[in-house]
Amino acid sequence: ELKVEQNPLFLSMQEGKNYTIYCNYSTTSDRLYWYRQDPGKSLESLFVLLSNGAVKQEGRLMASLDTKARLSTLHITAAVHDLSATYFCAPGGFGNEKLTFGTGTRLTIIP
Amino acid sequence: EAGVVQSPRYKIIEKKQPVAFWCNPISGHNTLYWYLQNLGQGPELLIRYENEEAVDDSQLPKDRFSAERLKGVDSTLKIQPAELGDSAVYLCASSLVGADEQFFGPGTRLTVL
C-alpha cells in the first residue's frame, strides 16, 4: 500500500522568506500531483509532474520530482500572504489510476 | 467552461438517516471520482467510474454506501444509514480517460448529529 508523507505538517513563515515542503512516498509512482486547498474550498491543481527530474514553476512556486528517491519538493520563493493554504501532494499511477494524497502541509504566511 | 458541480453544499442530518449527494462532472469527462475528506486530512478515494462502470470501488464501505452513474454523466453517492463517523466533506472529481489531471468540485460538507 502506498504511503505518502509530507513535512512539515504545519508551516508558519514570514513574508519574503523561502521555504520547501517535502513529499516522500513509499512505492514506485511515475507521476505526482500538487494541489492547493483554501479553507472551506475544494482542491485546485497546481502542478502535474510526469517524469523523473521534472521541474515546473508557476509564480513563486516551483515543484520537482525525483522518482528514484520517491521524493517531490514544493519550493516557495519570497512568500506572500496569498500563498497561505494547505498544500497536498498525491502520487498517482498511469492514466486515471488512484491518487493517494498526503496529509497536507498547512502553510501560514505572516506579514 | 463550467467546473464540477456538486449539491448540496452542506447537509446536516441525524444519525441513522439516509443522505444522498449529487455530482455533475465537467462536460466530456468520462472518469468520475468520489473522495472522502476528513478534517485535517487528505482526500481518500471511495469509488472511480469510467463511463457507467465502477472500475475501483475497493474503498467504498458497501454495507452502508452506494453509488451510481447510470448514464455515464451525473453520479449520486448515498449513505444509508448515516453514522456519526461519516461527518466529513465528500468531494467529486472528474477527468478525461487517460488524462493527467483530476478536477475537483466544491464538495458537500456532511454533519451527522
Side-chain angles (χ1 to χ4, degrees), chain A residues 31 33 35 37 42 45 96, chain B residues 33 37 95 98 100-102 105:
Chain A
R31 58 192 59 196
Y33 304 77
Y35 285 86
Q37 188 174 38
S42 192
S45 178
N96 297 110
Chain B
Y33 313 76
Q37 186 176 24
S95 68
D100 297 319
E101 200 170 358
Q102 296 180 24

Side-chain angles (χ1 to χ4, degrees), chain A residues 26-47:
Chain A
S26 60
T27 63
T28 301
S29 181
D30 62 356
R31 58 192 59 196
L32 187 137
Y33 304 77
W34 282 96
Y35 285 86
R36 167 182 172 145
Q37 188 174 38
D38 292 290
K41 305 287 187 180
S42 192
L43 282 83
E44 173 191 352
S45 178
L46 293 175
F47 298 108

Side-chain angles (χ1 to χ4, degrees), chain B residues 10-21 36 38 64-65 79-90 108-113:
Chain B
Y10 304 90
K11 188 74 177 179
I12 300 173
I13 61 171
E14 293 189 345
K15 63 181 180 181
K16 301 185 181 179
Q17 294 299 305
V19 65
F21 314 125
L36 163 71
N38 286 305
R64 298 185 299 108
F65 286 65
I79 309 174
Q80 183 170 11
E83 297 179 352
L84 295 176
D86 296 332
S87 295
V89 176
Y90 292 83
T108 297
R109 183 177 298 274
L110 173 67
T111 302
V112 182
L113 302 176

